[in-house]
Amino acid sequence: MLLLDDKTPSLMALAAAQKPDSMPPPDEFGKMVHSTDSITQTMSDSLKNMNLTDIKEVVTGENTIVKDGLKALTELTVSFVPKLIVAILVLWIGLKLSKMLCRLIARWLDRRDADPSLKSFLTSLSNLLLKAMVIFMSMDIIGIKATSFIALLGAMGLAIGMAMQGTLQNFAGGVIILLMKPFKVNDYIECGEYKGYVKEIRIFHTIVRPFNGRTVVIPNSELSNKSLINHTREPQIRLDVVASVAYGTDLEKAKAVLWDVINAEPLIQKEPKKPNVAVSNLSSSSVDITLWLWTRVEDYWTLWEHIREDIYIAFNENDISIPFPQVTVHQATPQPHVQMTPRLPEEHLPTSEEEQLGTGN
């Protein structure tokens, strides 16, 4: 049976056309007609009150949870994919640039003649820091905040720095020494109470060998923060020698003898800096004549040994007196013994108690 509208006569005609044997009882037929009318009326009211948009959503299924999820996923994909592409490009370009910068740092260290161990350490450290920076930038582009990671690394660095304060100072000093090169291996340096030839420059300390054959280990922080003297930095070095003569000596003759010694010594440089001889001090028992002599760094100690011997021999050959400290001793004459004169009782001075009692004079 088809229910198309609310036309009761059509239903009645259809019911009359059926055979009497197939017709339901009068009461059941009335119930069926009434039920049909109610369903038809309900459907008609629902169709009249239903919006066309609602009908479309019901037919297409656009109001389902799956459709909402797909829509949200589409929006997320549209907004995330460009960021992901940019992050990948930044990561790729950043890694390439970090490699280039590391190569430039390595070339700069080569030009500075840096120690091989320092070169390897600085290049690896620079590579690590640059890569970490690129990764953090890529994470920030795609929306992953690296603030927490940076804060954690900062806290760890602060704790490590406080625990290893002295060691880090020595490390920083070693980096400064190996980069700036205030001295190098085989230089003769003097820093405070330490002096000697530099045998090895390490990251945390420097090994110095003095003339007595000992080994002195100096922290790099001390060498980088304090003043030091590098005696062999320049190709030429000056040797100062003091030759003392007695008072009354002919100074012109003494200076002429010293010039003969200078001219006869091949290790003394005459150019570009010339030697000089002059009176430098009038001490208590001698006249001091100083020789300022320039020589090559490698000849310094040889000249230091030879020149004093040559001066002594030349002074003896020319009868020039070399003074030495003298002490004049005078013999004292016997003196008469001093005798004490006895005092008389009346010469006794009153005490404070006697003055109070009135017995004193």
Side-chain angles (χ1 to χ4, degrees):
M1 182 181 295
L2 299 176
L3 300 177
L4 300 176
D5 53 14
D6 194 17
K7 296 180 180 180
T8 304
S10 299
L11 295 175
M12 296 299 292
L14 181 61
Q18 296 182 0
K19 296 180 179 181
D21 296 338
S22 62
M23 289 291 291
D27 295 337
E28 294 181 1
F29 178 76
K31 293 179 181 180
M32 184 178 62
V33 172
H34 180 72
S35 175
T36 303
D37 293 339
S38 300
I39 294 173
T40 304
Q41 184 65 33
T42 302
M43 292 181 63
S44 178
D45 295 338
S46 299
L47 292 174
K48 290 179 180 179
N49 297 327
M50 187 176 293
N51 193 359
L52 182 60
T53 305
D54 297 335
I55 297 174
K56 181 180 179 181
E57 291 179 355
V58 172
V59 173
T60 59
E62 292 183 356
N63 61 342
T64 60
I65 299 176
V66 177
K67 188 63 178 180
D68 294 338
L70 292 175
K71 182 178 180 181
L73 181 61
T74 302
E75 293 177 355
L76 180 63
T77 304
V78 171
S79 61
F80 179 75
V81 169
K83 294 180 180 179
L84 181 61
I85 295 174
V86 173
I88 293 174
L89 289 176
V90 170
L91 182 63
W92 183 75
I93 296 174
L95 293 178
K96 294 292 183 181
L97 291 177
S98 64
K99 290 182 180 179
M100 293 176 60
L101 289 176
C102 290
R103 292 173 183 172
L104 292 176
I105 293 173
R107 292 176 183 175
W108 180 74
L109 292 174
D110 290 335
R111 289 196 298 268
R112 299 288 300 178
D113 294 331
D115 188 80
S117 59
L118 176 65
K119 175 185 174 182
S120 176
F121 177 81
L122 289 181
T123 51
S124 61
L125 180 62
S126 302
N127 189 23
L128 179 62
L129 293 177
L130 290 172
K131 286 183 178 179
M133 183 177 64
V134 172
I135 292 173
F136 286 150
M137 292 175 59
S138 302
M139 292 172 60
D140 187 69
I141 291 174
I142 62 178
I144 301 175
K145 299 299 181 182
T147 308
S148 58
F149 295 99
I150 296 174
L152 179 61
L153 292 176
M156 292 176 59
L158 179 61
I160 295 173
M162 294 181 65
M164 304 178 62
Q165 183 177 1
T167 304
L168 291 177
Q169 288 180 354
N170 291 332
F171 169 75
V175 172
I176 293 173
I177 291 172
L178 292 172
L179 286 178
M180 300 299 142
K181 290 189 174 298
F183 56 86
K184 61 182 184 298
V185 177
N186 294 328
D187 280 354
Y188 185 79
I189 65 172
E190 181 178 354
C191 180
E193 59 181 357
Y194 307 112
K195 61 176 65 176
Y197 284 97
V198 178
K199 293 302 178 183
E200 190 174 356
I201 303 174
R202 297 182 179 178
I203 294 296
F204 297 102
H205 56 267
T206 298
I207 298 177
V208 175
R209 188 72 55 81
F211 288 109
N212 56 14
R214 273 68 170 177
T215 298
V216 181
V217 180
I218 307 175
N220 287 333
S221 60
E222 187 170 351
L223 292 175
S224 61
N225 294 328
K226 292 185 178 181
S227 301
L228 61 87
I229 302 173
N230 189 342
H231 295 278
T232 55
R233 177 76 178 228
E234 300 296 331
Q236 287 186 333
I237 187 172
R238 194 182 72 183
L239 174 64
D240 300 342
V241 182
V242 178
S244 299
V245 297
Y247 280 98
T249 302
D250 186 354
L251 293 180
E252 295 298 329
K253 178 181 177 182
K255 293 171 68 175
V257 171
L258 291 175
W259 275 111
D260 292 338
V261 173
I262 292 173
N263 294 328
E265 179 56 61
L267 297 181
I268 299 176
Q269 298 290 317
K270 308 303 190 296
E271 296 292 341
K273 298 179 181 179
K274 298 180 180 180
N276 191 19
V277 177
V279 176
S280 58
N281 188 27
L282 301 176
S283 60
S284 60
S285 60
S286 65
V287 178
D288 296 335
I289 304 175
T290 301
L291 290 73
W292 291 277
L293 311 175
W294 290 92
T295 185
R296 296 185 305 173
V297 172
E298 55 269 22
D299 298 332
Y300 179 84
W301 293 112
T302 304
L303 179 62
W304 186 89
E305 293 176 358
H306 291 175
I307 192 66
R308 289 170 174 81
E309 182 179 350
D310 295 341
I311 291 173
Y312 178 77
I313 295 173
F315 277 1
N316 283 336
E317 292 177 352
N318 291 274
D319 297 328
I320 297 176
S321 176
I322 300 176
F324 51 88
Q326 300 179 2
V327 178
T328 303
V329 179
H330 296 279
Q331 185 177 1
T333 57
Q335 298 293 330
H337 294 287
V338 179
Q339 296 181 353
M340 181 179 293
T341 304
R343 294 190 178 92
L344 300 176
E346 53 271 12
E347 294 179 356
H348 176 67
L349 296 177
T351 62
S352 59
E353 297 180 353
E354 294 173 346
E355 289 179 352
Q356 292 177 0
L357 296 175
T359 58
N361 294 332

